[in-house]
């Protein structure tokens, strides 16, 4: 990373750009998840607005999960440790 080694941007700018660039992917993936899970588990009822509450909650959880993964990855220096990090975060 030539830009990082020459201090062209701060770590917070890199972090914010990673989170913002992941939002479109999170919207699509969580949308598919929401439609499948919401209707297959019988959560649908007469009021149609509750799916939007569920979708909003799922989006926030997805973005927070991705942010937490970036936080954990900041402590890792080798690729082999990434596999161990996934197991530790699940426990």
């Amino acid at each position: 990373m030539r830009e990082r080694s020459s201090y062209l941007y701060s770590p917070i700018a890199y972090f914010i750009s990673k989170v913002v660039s992941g939002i479109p992917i999170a919207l699509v993936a969580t949308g598919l998840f929401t439609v499948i899970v919401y209707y297959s588990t019988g959560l649908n009822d007469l009021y149609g607005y509750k799916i939007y509450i569920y979708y909003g909650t799922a989006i926030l959880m997805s973005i927070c999960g991705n942010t937490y993964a970036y936080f954990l990855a900041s402590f890792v220096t080798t690729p082999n440790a990434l596999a161990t990090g996934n197991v530790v975060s699940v426990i």
Side-chain angles (χ1 to χ4, degrees), residues 65 68-69 72 81-91:
Y68 181 66
L72 289 179
L82 289 174
T84 307
N86 290 336
V87 173
V88 171
S89 67
V90 169
I91 294 175

Side-chain angles (χ1 to χ4, degrees), residues 9-22:
Y9 55 85
S10 66
I12 192 72
Y14 176 75
F15 174 73
I16 290 173
S17 69
K18 288 288 284 184
V19 171
V20 169
S21 66

Side-chain angles (χ1 to χ4, degrees), residues 2-77:
R2 178 181 58 195
E3 294 85 6
R4 177 74 177 113
S5 63
S6 60
Y7 299 105
L8 291 177
Y9 55 85
S10 66
I12 192 72
Y14 176 75
F15 174 73
I16 290 173
S17 69
K18 288 288 284 184
V19 171
V20 169
S21 66
I23 289 175
I25 296 169
L27 289 172
V28 172
T30 307
L32 290 173
F33 173 80
T34 298
V35 168
I36 292 169
V37 170
Y38 190 79
Y39 290 108
S40 66
T41 57
L43 293 175
N44 52 339
D45 58 355
L46 297 176
Y47 306 108
Y49 69 91
K50 291 186 180 181
I51 191 170
Y52 298 112
I53 295 171
Y54 182 78
Y55 180 63
T57 304
I59 284 289
L60 290 176
M61 290 175 55
S62 173
I63 293 171
C64 288
N66 288 338
T67 305
Y68 181 66
Y70 292 141
F71 172 72
L72 289 179
S74 69
F75 295 112
V76 178
T77 57

